Amino acid sequence: MKISVIIPTYNRAEMLRDTLNHLVRQDISADDFEVIVSDDGSNDHTKDVVDSFAGQLHMKYHFMEYLGFRAGHARNAGARMASAPLFVFLDTGGMVGPGFLRAHLAEHARPGGPRAIVGYAYGYNPDYGHDQVDAIAEAMSRMPPEQVVEHFTGQSWFLDVRHGLYEKYDFDLSRMAIPWLLFFTINVSVPAKEFHEVGGFDEGFDRWGCEDMHLGFRLFKSGVPLVLSRTAWALEYPHERNRANDMQDVAINLRYFLRGWEEPQVELLALLIPRLLFGTIDDECRAVLDWAASVRDLDVSAEIDAAVQEIAPTGRIVVIGAGGRVPPSLPPATLFDIDRDLLQRATAGGGHTGHHRIGLLTGLEDQSVDTVVITSRMAGLWDRWSEDLLAEAGRVGRKIHVTFSAHS
């Protein structure tokens, strides 16, 4: 086996049948790949559909009890059954052309070591209107996926919802600050070794959304580059979505993501996706990373000392923009900084706790501290983020003390 195709599913038996029919059409030998359907508790005829392909594809089936949305669990269960060195994750309803698996294999055969492939997804746009949904569904009822793609060529609404960002970076994910932002498991492939080394999908995501970005994030942090493939494409079968419920679930999942991986980039993700500002996130991350590099040597201990003397705090203090050194006058405090190394240096003595965040989402309880001190290490972010920083500071602290002039 060269490829294990892993498909999570739940109560979409006929859509799954279409997906499997297109896998039968692959232009590589059926003995080169297996298909693993991981069923998240369906109560329809999904198992019968899987069984009907036993003579055409190397099929494996896993069933688990339905306990709510658990796509990460389902994909991990499928990966544990897989025997090939390369995993392709494809959603139920991911319709593919005959060259789909050959294209994924070709991407991984290129020199340069292991990589994870982000496959293009035609027709993937959660904000489609009824007219677009109906047009794609009608075309797919009478044409194979490759002809549907050709039929809608030139229609901007038919493009992958991520296309604008792909185009902005000339279809080169290495030019992005956070390429894992675009790692959607509607169509991706990952070497089995690298998948298992990062622990697979985090099963703490028990609502819709972001468990795939989280995997992409961990692959990227482990040194696995993310590469876009426009030839290893899939076409999403259109279906209605409950966007309001989906975004509520995403917001909860993003807070879970941030609790586990405190980084400014994840903090921005958690703040901006619920505001529907997906397309701005990479630029915002790069701006914060560039500012962090420019103030790496900025010592604000004197600012913090002066603030302590002036405010004479009676309770706990939060310092946003603490840097790598805090004065002895600072009582036990909660420190935030955009530079992880400096933050670890400031908290090394054990008297203070630290968070590698900007301070836009502190994770602290309402009115849980006496004073929030914001230092000049935040000056370069002030024009963009002052409103959010002050709102969060006012939520968690009874007083706010800014150590620099906002107009300096």
Side-chain angles (χ1 to χ4, degrees):
M1 291 293 174
K2 296 178 180 178
I3 303 180
S4 296
V5 182
I6 300 168
I7 305 173
T9 196
Y10 174 70
N11 281 350
R12 290 181 175 176
E14 290 308 309
M15 195 180 293
L16 176 65
R17 188 191 303 277
D18 288 342
T19 298
L20 296 177
N21 274 325
H22 294 305
L23 289 172
V24 170
R25 301 170 58 235
Q26 293 305 290
D27 62 10
I28 65 173
S29 169
D31 290 331
D32 284 341
F33 68 99
E34 63 183 357
V35 179
I36 303 166
V37 173
S38 191
D39 190 342
D40 192 11
S42 296
N43 55 22
D44 63 2
H45 56 291
T46 290
K47 178 63 163 57
D48 293 336
V49 168
V50 172
D51 289 345
S52 71
F53 283 86
Q56 303 173 76
L57 296 168
H58 292 282
M59 297 295 306
K60 294 179 181 176
Y61 177 75
H62 178 270
F63 180 87
M64 61 189 193
E65 180 185 4
Y66 180 73
L67 297 173
F69 184 91
R70 295 192 299 158
H73 292 70
R75 293 189 183 101
N76 282 345
R80 287 191 292 269
M81 297 176 69
S83 59
L86 178 64
F87 296 164
V88 170
F89 292 99
L90 184 67
D91 279 353
T92 303
M95 308 302 171
V96 299
F100 174 70
L101 293 180
R102 182 180 297 279
H104 272 287
L105 282 171
E107 295 288 359
H108 289 275
R110 297 182 191 278
R115 76 283 310 270
I117 300 302
V118 178
Y120 197 89
Y122 286 104
Y124 177 67
N125 190 331
D127 295 318
Y128 272 157
H130 291 294
D131 290 346
Q132 288 89 357
V133 168
D134 291 345
I136 296 175
E138 189 280 329
M140 294 181 74
S141 70
R142 56 187 175 83
M143 291 186 281
E146 61 274 20
Q147 291 182 19
V148 176
V149 168
E150 183 178 358
H151 178 73
F152 288 112
T153 295
Q155 300 291 330
S156 60
W157 57 263
F158 181 69
L159 299 173
D160 190 319
V161 71
R162 299 163 290 183
H163 187 91
L165 283 172
Y166 290 151
E167 195 169 45
K168 177 178 179 178
Y169 296 104
D170 198 25
F171 302 94
D172 181 358
L173 301 190
S174 70
R175 298 174 61 180
M176 296 182 69
I178 54 167
W180 46 268
L181 176 69
L182 304 180
F183 193 83
F184 296 178
T185 44
I186 181 175
N187 172 21
V188 297
S189 59
V190 184
K193 178 176 179 290
E194 281 65 32
F195 175 85
H196 289 303
E197 283 178 350
V198 300
F201 290 91
D202 184 329
E203 296 183 1
F205 289 92
D206 56 3
R207 298 169 185 266
W208 184 87
C210 298
E211 79 283 347
D212 44 8
M213 285 185 206
H214 187 263
L215 175 62
F217 168 82
R218 287 179 290 122
L219 287 166
F220 182 70
K221 285 187 71 68
S222 72
V224 178
L226 308 185
V227 177
L228 170 66
S229 174
R230 299 177 73 182
T231 56
W233 57 264
L235 166 61
E236 187 191 50
Y237 193 90
H239 56 279
E240 300 292 339
R241 300 171 184 270
N242 189 326
R243 289 290 280 154
N245 283 354
D246 286 350
M247 293 313 297
Q248 289 176 3
D249 286 349
V250 163
I252 293 169
N253 278 350
L254 286 169
R255 298 301 178 100
Y256 172 78
F257 191 163
L258 180 57
R259 287 195 300 273
W261 292 90
E262 289 198 317
E263 289 197 6
Q265 301 96 307
V266 179
E267 185 180 7
L268 288 169
L269 194 78
L271 183 72
L272 295 176
I273 284 185
R275 296 181 181 180
L276 304 180
L277 295 173
F278 183 86
T280 70
I281 295 170
D282 195 74
D283 285 341
E284 300 286 11
C285 287
R286 189 170 300 282
V288 170
L289 292 171
D290 288 346
W291 173 251
S294 73
V295 294
R296 181 165 179 79
D297 297 328
L298 179 60
D299 186 330
V300 293
S301 58
E303 291 180 29
I304 298 170
D305 181 61
V308 170
Q309 304 309 319
E310 181 177 342
I311 63 181
T314 57
R316 193 165 185 87
I317 293 179
V318 163
V319 180
I320 296 177
R325 190 166 69 92
V326 294
S329 60
L330 181 67
T334 303
L335 311 180
F336 290 79
D337 200 84
I338 52 181
D339 188 307
R340 184 186 298 277
D341 293 340
L342 294 182
L343 184 68
Q344 290 176 343
R345 196 179 306 168
T347 57
H352 310 291
T353 58
H355 298 278
H356 183 215
R357 305 190 189 193
I358 301 166
L360 303 167
L361 298 171
T362 62
L364 304 177
E365 297 294 329
D366 292 355
Q367 301 296 289
S368 57
V369 302
D370 180 72
T371 305
V372 178
V373 175
I374 304 176
T375 79
S376 63
R377 286 181 58 79
M378 307 305 294
L381 305 178
W382 197 252
D383 286 348
R384 174 66 180 92
W385 295 111
S386 59
E387 184 176 341
D388 288 287
L389 283 167
L390 291 172
E392 182 69 352
R395 183 186 68 79
V396 304
R398 290 175 283 278
K399 292 177 286 186
I400 302 172
H401 185 94
V402 180
T403 66
F404 61 98
S405 170
H407 302 291
S408 61

